[in-house]
Amino acid sequence: MTSFSWLPTLNKKYSLEIQPSQIRPFGDGHIHQTFLIETKNEKLILQQFNNQVFKFPERISHNQSLLIDQIDSKDLPYILPLPIPNLAGELFTLIEGTFFRISPFVSGKCVNEIENPHQAYLAAKAFAQFIKAGIHIPASEFQEAIPGFHDLELRYNQLLEALKNTKRIMSGELKELVEFYLGQKDLVDQYLSWKEKLPLRLTHSDTKINNLIFADDFSKVNAVIDLDTLMAGYVYYDFGDLVRTVACTEGESSKDWEKIKVENAKYNALLEGFLEVGNGVFTEDEIKSLPFGGLMMTCIMGFRFLADYLNGNIYYTIHYEEQNLHRAKNQMCLLMDLRGELHKVSF
Ligand code: GN1
Ligand code: MG
């Protein structure tokens, strides 16, 4: 990677003159390798695309092209920095077996934790505006970027599968976590029953807080980013991943277990922002499903982090061996608190 052997081809395919010294690692994403390119005249984002996770890049191209053609951008007071086509008009460029893409750089603040309820309100409004701007596009026209991405039943079964095949020794913290997550089956049942009632929409499907860019002074949202997972989904997915990453006292990587709690003021601000856009747009059932979103998205991430740990850390980027176990434990703490607190929020 450090040799940038792919750079001459990349430059040719985009008619650019990027030098290795103008490239540096950027951001906190768990999936792709992201770089900031800074030349004399411009800044760009370069991604080395993870095609182990996204096995169908052509589906992403299809979805993003559909979005470019059909989204109601007058409804969007921010930028969607979609990939810049190469000279052949493709959104991805294949070099030495690896996909690359370049997108516009949007300046501002990208954070893992927010500071106050107003920022929560702005974030929720931005992601609800995304759903609203695409609500006229039939969800069935989008292809599944990752099959069964937010299918809680599938993720539960994948956890069972990982348990069956794991080489890890089942004791202590790991055993406790496994027992906790296997005990969340009621959420799988609720997921299946919401499925019967709700319409599918174009959703962003990865609305964690670092997937948007605030203005430097946090007065507004400048951009919604990470547009690989946009596909058909339920409105509560997008609300739920905000709850998971915004309405909590600690971020996803915190190991201060006792401190991990829901923050009701931020939760209510999320609800206010989401409904300010969604009232009159979302159905009554969609609005009723929102609190389930917080539980479900926290639970699904717990399933996925734990399964990845059991599988030997093959999916998420980690910085130390136990990180996925710790992420699963963090989500467990939040889920336990959410289960206890949700009945108290004003809804
Ligand atoms: C991944 O790409 P990134 O870091 O925004 C993951 C999400 C998880 C998230 C957990 C394609 O998102 O589903 O919510 O990590 N994306 C994919 O932090 O698996
Ligand atoms: Mg991201």
Side-chain angles (χ1 to χ4, degrees):
M1 191 62 220
T2 39
S3 69
F4 299 128
S5 58
W6 38 266
L7 189 55
T9 316
L10 189 87
N11 275 331
K12 210 157 88 207
K13 298 261 182 172
Y14 287 85
S15 182
L16 289 166
E17 288 174 17
I18 305 163
Q19 306 298 317
S21 61
Q22 296 170 329
I23 305 178
R24 64 180 164 87
F26 191 72
D28 282 326
H30 292 341
I31 308 293
H32 307 301
Q33 284 201 50
T34 305
F35 302 92
L36 174 67
I37 300 172
E38 200 164 357
T39 70
K40 258 192 262 119
N41 311 320
E42 63 180 343
K43 284 185 180 180
L44 293 166
I45 292 295
L46 167 68
Q47 280 190 317
Q48 188 180 20
F49 183 80
N50 182 336
N51 54 339
Q52 287 310 306
V53 163
F54 287 100
K55 295 193 181 350
F56 309 101
E58 69 288 354
R59 296 188 184 177
I60 297 177
S61 294
H62 166 91
N63 292 345
Q64 293 182 341
S65 304
L66 197 61
L67 190 76
I68 296 169
D69 289 349
Q70 297 200 27
I71 197 149
D72 210 341
S73 39
K74 72 173 177 345
D75 267 352
L76 288 180
Y78 52 75
I79 300 169
L80 287 177
L82 287 157
I84 300 165
N86 62 20
L87 294 179
E90 303 150 335
L91 301 185
F92 290 103
T93 301
L94 185 61
I95 307 173
E96 299 168 3
T98 302
F99 288 98
F100 292 85
R101 65 181 162 190
I102 293 180
S103 30
F105 170 80
V106 180
S107 67
K109 293 255 162 50
C110 186
V111 296
N112 291 321
E113 283 164 64
I114 58 152
E115 285 158 3
N116 57 52
H118 186 63
Q119 292 167 5
Y121 162 84
L122 290 176
K125 235 174 113 166
F127 281 117
Q129 278 160 337
F130 179 84
I131 301 177
K132 187 178 172 198
I135 209 147
H136 59 287
I137 316 173
S140 57
E141 290 188 21
F142 290 92
Q143 298 176 354
E144 270 197 303
I146 297 181
F149 190 48
H150 288 328
D151 181 335
L152 195 65
E153 190 185 31
L154 174 82
R155 297 299 190 177
Y156 187 86
N157 289 334
Q158 287 176 340
L159 177 60
L160 293 179
E161 197 59 28
L163 267 170
K164 223 184 332 163
N165 300 328
T166 190
K167 297 195 174 66
R168 308 259 187 212
I169 295 156
M170 209 49 59
S171 64
E173 213 172 32
L174 175 59
K175 191 158 174 268
E176 270 170 48
L177 279 172
V178 166
E179 279 164 11
F180 172 81
Y181 280 110
L182 293 183
Q184 304 307 305
K185 192 80 200 310
D186 62 312
L187 293 179
V188 177
D189 299 335
Q190 287 181 53
Y191 164 80
L192 293 172
S193 82
W194 277 118
K195 220 169 152 175
E196 306 286 303
K197 296 187 214 154
L198 301 176
L200 283 165
R201 310 280 193 196
L202 164 64
T203 52
H204 179 283
S205 314
D206 188 5
T207 60
K208 73 182 201 189
I209 192 64
N210 70 11
N211 284 336
L212 58 74
I213 299 174
F214 286 101
D216 281 325
D217 62 359
F218 286 94
S219 59
K220 63 186 183 73
V221 168
N222 280 352
V224 163
I225 61 172
D226 229 342
L227 300 162
D228 294 321
T229 51
L230 61 93
M231 56 186 152
Y234 300 113
V235 162
Y236 72 75
Y237 293 165
D238 283 2
F239 182 74
D241 215 31
L242 279 164
V243 171
R244 185 181 79 80
T245 59
V246 170
C248 50
T249 46
E250 296 284 309
E252 185 186 83
S253 57
S254 170
K255 291 186 272 168
D256 264 332
W257 316 123
E258 321 71 49
K259 285 206 206 145
I260 301 170
K261 304 270 177 236
V262 184
E263 276 197 61
N264 285 354
K266 288 180 182 162
Y267 186 95
N268 286 329
L270 285 177
L271 208 48
E272 190 192 336
F274 211 76
L275 291 182
E276 193 174 304
V277 177
N279 270 331
V281 176
F282 303 149
T283 66
E284 216 173 292
D285 275 336
E286 283 181 302
I287 292 174
K288 277 197 205 135
S289 71
L290 297 181
F292 174 68
L295 296 168
M296 183 273 185
M297 292 302 288
T298 307
C299 182
I300 205 167
M301 291 313 153
F303 286 174
R304 292 176 59 196
F305 289 141
L306 187 57
D308 197 29
Y309 178 73
L310 292 167
N311 288 333
N313 302 319
I314 52 177
Y315 187 96
Y316 291 108
T317 302
I318 49 158
H319 304 291
Y320 61 94
E321 180 62 24
E322 307 298 305
Q323 191 164 10
N324 277 317
L325 182 77
H326 290 158
R327 287 171 175 150
K329 184 162 177 177
N330 171 304
Q331 301 293 286
M332 174 184 81
C333 297
L334 182 61
L335 182 53
M336 289 204 290
D337 203 49
L338 268 171
R339 278 195 181 264
E341 287 294 314
L342 266 189
H343 63 280
K344 292 191 206 153
V345 295
S346 56
F347 178 69

